[in-house]
Amino acid sequence: MRIIVLGLVLLLSTTINAQEIGVRFGEVTGNNIAVDGVFEFDGSRIHANVSFGDGLGLDALYDFVYEPLEDELYWYAGVGASTFIEDDFNLGVSGEIGLEYQFDSAPIVIGFDYRPTFWIIDDTSFKWDGFGVNVRYRF
């Protein structure tokens, strides 16, 4: 099962162009670090993470709010699916709200967000500690 999921991730990463790619530090679906990507379209975006460590974590959140507060400072909110594959298969729904700063002088984006997750499949539980810091390169 892990090989199939990893193969799908690699296949999608070669066919989709990210507008931002980087690293997320903090609680990331069972791990502490993840590859972080943002795919923008029509005033909204997909915020996706792939994390490795104790297991394989995948998050894909649709940020339906993506608005500027100032010239370089944006806030966003969204919801999406999360999965964590270790010995068990876990599937849940995550929410997301955050702030990010896009530097004009460099193609760097730094963000801070909160991502609680409601796990539905294998064990029903609610995880409150989803704080993270994102550092991404903007194309």
Side-chain angles (χ1 to χ4, degrees):
M1 179 72 176
R2 289 182 188 185
I3 294 172
I4 293 171
V5 172
L6 184 58
L8 288 173
V9 169
L10 292 175
L11 178 66
L12 288 174
S13 67
T14 60
T15 59
I16 296 176
N17 294 324
Q19 282 93 14
E20 297 175 14
I21 192 147
V23 181
R24 177 182 163 92
F25 301 99
E27 172 57 38
V28 188
T29 313
N31 296 306
N32 294 323
I33 190 166
V35 176
D36 189 51
V38 172
F39 313 92
E40 296 183 18
F41 59 94
D42 296 333
S44 58
R45 64 190 199 160
I46 301 291
H47 189 179
N49 298 126
V50 178
S51 63
F52 303 94
D54 294 333
L56 175 67
L58 301 169
D59 298 305
L61 295 101
Y62 174 70
D63 289 339
F64 50 84
V65 175
Y66 185 63
E67 298 290 329
L69 293 173
E70 292 185 18
D71 288 340
E72 295 90 17
L73 185 65
Y74 289 80
W75 78 281
Y76 55 92
V79 65
S82 294
T83 185
F84 183 66
I85 303 166
E86 192 180 23
D87 294 331
D88 298 329
F89 175 80
N90 297 300
L91 182 65
V93 177
S94 294
E96 174 175 66
I97 187 164
L99 287 171
E100 69 181 26
Y101 187 82
Q102 299 179 358
F103 291 92
D104 275 343
S105 59
I108 302 294
V109 177
I110 296 176
F112 174 77
D113 58 34
Y114 174 59
R115 191 181 293 175
T117 302
F118 178 61
W119 293 107
I120 301 168
I121 294 179
D122 190 47
D123 183 26
T124 303
S125 63
F126 193 80
K127 190 162 188 162
W128 294 91
D129 60 348
F131 292 96
V133 174
N134 308 305
V135 179
R136 294 186 299 269
Y137 177 80
R138 183 177 35 176
F139 295 92

